[in-house]
Amino acid sequence: GGFERFALEPLPVESVVTVGYNVTAPTVERLPTCNSLARLPDGPPPGHAIVRIKAFSVNYADVTIRWGLYESAIKYVGYPICPGFDLAGVVERVGPGASVQEGDTVVGITFFGAYSERVLVPCHQLFAVPKGMSIAQAAALPSVSGTALHALALAGLWPSLPASRNRAVLVHSAAGGGGRKLVQMA
């Protein structure tokens, strides 16, 4: 596995989008040549949106995907794969019952596919970009924030603090995105 497996592939037509393995709607027709692409001639399925990506972040997991070492990338998608978890952009099309609207500026997370022009995302994984935050800043938040919250939950510090007022948190390896976000949250 590794870099030699990657190539720039323009999306062939407007009805083709990148999809992550978290998209399981039966109406999504994945292309036989690439499990990361799907043809949506009738638009997004219910509860999903197509986002035109304006920014994405690069996480350590994306690097391990490029190295060919990320186990769930191999298991659930295979190669060729479009890496990327965190995204920010503009909602281009929505399916029935979507909780976002066309034209909304959103930040979200997908299980692979954010390094693309357009990606299909379940709406429960999309949120409005906070006021005062740029699209690029918003794209840097999802994975590292989720990882930091998970660590705090494992330590019993989230979603509510323990009754004790005296608490200390030791964060090892706070030089990366997840560690830096954990320091901010703790």
Side-chain angles (χ1 to χ4, degrees):
F3 184 74
E4 71 279 359
R5 293 185 176 185
F6 291 90
L8 178 61
E9 292 289 334
L11 297 178
V13 293
E14 284 295 313
S15 66
V16 173
V17 297
T18 306
V19 292
Y21 77 85
N22 56 316
V23 175
T24 58
T27 57
V28 174
E29 172 195 339
R30 294 182 187 259
L31 300 186
T33 56
C34 181
N35 201 32
S36 294
L37 296 176
R39 188 177 315 281
L40 300 173
D42 300 323
H48 290 71
I50 296 173
V51 178
R52 181 161 296 276
I53 296 174
K54 301 292 184 186
F56 60 84
S57 68
V58 179
N59 294 294
Y60 182 71
D62 301 316
V63 174
T64 61
I65 290 167
R66 287 191 216 111
W67 288 338
L69 301 176
Y70 199 88
E71 188 61 35
S72 65
I74 297 165
K75 181 178 178 180
Y76 295 110
V77 181
Y79 290 91
I81 187 171
C82 180
F85 293 89
D86 303 336
L87 63 103
V90 177
V91 175
E92 193 172 86
R93 291 186 69 188
V94 296
S99 57
V100 296
Q101 297 178 14
E102 292 176 10
D104 285 355
T105 302
V106 295
V107 58
I109 192 163
T110 183
F111 299 123
F112 312 121
Y115 290 19
S116 182
E117 296 173 33
R118 293 183 321 279
V119 65
L120 180 68
V121 183
C123 289
H124 69 271
Q125 293 173 209
L126 296 172
F127 307 91
V129 171
K131 296 217 183 299
M133 185 176 285
S134 73
I135 286 181
Q137 290 169 327
L141 288 177
S143 291
V144 295
S145 298
T147 300
L149 284 174
H150 183 68
L152 289 172
L154 290 174
L157 301 173
W158 187 80
S160 59
L161 292 174
S164 169
R165 297 180 75 207
N166 297 322
R167 64 183 177 102
V169 177
L170 174 62
V171 179
H172 290 276
S173 303
R180 290 178 64 184
K181 184 53 73 178
L182 183 56
V183 168
Q184 291 173 343
M185 292 178 170

